[in-house]
Amino acid sequence: MAKASKNIAEQNLTAPEHVAIIMDGNGRWAKKRFLPRTAGHVQGSRTAEQICEDAYDLGIKYLTIYAFSTENWARPESEVSALMDLLRKYMKDSIERSSKNNMRVRVIGDISRLDDDLRKSILRLEEATKNNTGLNFQVAINYGGRDEIVRAVRTICEEAVSGKLSPQQIDEELISSHLDTCGIPYPDLLIRTSGEYRTSNFLPWQLAYSEFYFTDVLWPDFNKEELKKAIEYYNSRDRRFGGVK
Ligand code: IPE
Ligand code: IPE
Ligand code: MG
């Protein structure tokens, strides 16, 4: 069995401020066990809950997870509705859990396409946790990076047409402030599980200078030890941001 790694402080590691995760491999995890794909999603949602605790414990301040992409509507209707039910349950259970662990929850993505009741519980949860000062937890639902940019451009154009804004005022900061992640620092580290090496339309603007960590571990098997490995990897990187060191 692998030896448990020393804790972050003992190893003198710096925790990234913001970690983004593409939680992938739920279906393959279930398939390996001859279970329906939805069983993988149930287990995956438990992993997501646990990883919030672990991330905060390791010193991470912002955690953003990809729960449902704008492309995931292409899945069979039964799987989409099982995923929506899990999100529904998550939003309800989270009100109590977040008041205990002081977590602030925000949803990014276009929630206008979601069922009314789910949208309402999202807004209720965001409102109930907005003053919490623990982990800042972002859940991406019906999120697509291209769609996010389209929506931002549309709003900026509306502001320009109405005279609130002149084209000369459009700079990186202004665009950033029109994205769903307004006010949230860019991710320092992106983790993708299940051995896929792509970003699948997740945070294209925000990940422009992030470090990327890929692991073969399937999302339902991901845990604190695996998160520590990602942080170790992050600490081994030399972030030059175009300069020289
Ligand atoms: C990720 O697991 C969860 C979501 C996309 C909601 P997958 O369902 O993509 O699992 P695989 O990739 O089929 O194994
Ligand atoms: C990305 O995973 C989306 C989420 C994790 C929510 P997918 O499994 O949908 O990505 P692709 O289709 O393999 O790129
Ligand atoms: Mg997948």
Side-chain angles (χ1 to χ4, degrees):
M1 206 168 89
K3 198 166 136 270
S5 56
K6 290 185 198 158
N7 71 37
I8 300 258
E10 266 178 81
Q11 291 182 89
N12 220 0
L13 294 176
T14 310
E17 183 184 27
H18 184 174
V19 174
I21 307 183
I22 302 177
M23 319 182 284
D24 200 8
N26 293 352
R28 277 162 284 171
W29 182 92
K31 196 171 174 208
K32 266 172 59 182
R33 288 163 178 76
F34 306 102
L35 295 169
R37 292 178 56 84
T38 48
H41 296 315
V42 170
Q43 195 55 40
S45 73
R46 292 193 189 121
T47 302
E49 278 169 27
Q50 183 56 45
I51 239 38
C52 283
E53 309 275 332
D54 298 337
Y56 196 59
D57 200 38
L58 293 173
I60 292 160
K61 305 252 178 328
Y62 293 83
L63 179 69
T64 303
I65 62 162
Y66 207 3
F68 192 91
S69 73
T70 46
E71 287 71 32
N72 287 148
W73 296 107
R75 294 189 178 203
E77 209 201 300
S78 57
E79 183 171 346
V80 168
S81 84
L83 284 165
M84 290 300 150
D85 284 346
L86 269 175
L87 289 167
R88 226 174 236 115
K89 183 172 164 356
Y90 178 83
M91 295 303 150
K92 293 211 173 89
D93 295 351
S94 278
I95 291 215
E96 201 180 320
R97 203 174 31 244
S98 309
S99 73
K100 278 196 203 123
N101 66 13
N102 198 21
M103 181 165 89
R104 175 172 186 184
V105 187
R106 275 175 277 194
V107 169
I108 60 168
D110 181 5
I111 64 166
S112 70
R113 195 175 160 184
L114 306 179
D115 285 350
D116 241 21
D117 69 311
L118 177 55
R119 209 173 50 239
K120 278 185 191 136
S121 30
I122 289 171
L123 297 175
R124 209 174 305 131
L125 178 62
E126 286 183 330
E127 180 63 25
T129 63
K130 70 175 185 205
N131 295 319
N132 289 354
T133 54
L135 181 74
N136 286 281
F137 182 46
Q138 290 70 238
V139 189
I141 305 177
N142 190 25
Y143 176 88
R146 290 176 182 161
D147 176 68
E148 178 189 37
I149 292 171
V150 167
R151 288 185 283 109
V153 169
R154 198 175 291 142
T155 311
I156 292 169
C157 286
E158 280 163 8
E159 288 170 6
V161 167
S162 72
K164 203 177 140 197
L165 177 74
S166 80
Q168 284 68 32
Q169 283 171 279
I170 301 174
D171 56 12
E172 288 187 13
E173 204 183 316
L174 184 118
I175 292 176
S176 188
S177 73
H178 283 75
L179 298 177
D180 299 345
T181 50
C182 169
I184 295 165
Y186 296 146
D188 301 292
L189 172 67
L190 170 77
I191 299 173
R192 181 166 189 154
T193 58
S194 86
E196 306 295 348
Y197 296 78
R198 55 178 174 265
T199 55
S200 304
N201 207 6
F202 192 40
L203 304 172
W205 173 282
Q206 298 86 339
L207 292 174
Y209 248 111
S210 311
E211 300 295 334
F212 285 25
Y213 177 81
F214 297 101
T215 171
D216 287 341
V217 173
L218 301 174
W219 176 250
D221 292 327
F222 196 81
N223 57 24
K224 195 174 188 179
E225 279 309 307
E226 299 299 331
L227 182 57
K228 277 190 203 162
K229 285 184 201 163
I231 297 176
E232 279 167 30
Y233 167 83
Y234 173 77
N235 275 261
S236 75
R237 305 309 304 163
D238 182 13
R239 302 188 80 190
R240 292 187 285 276
F241 297 104
V244 276
K245 266 195 195 155

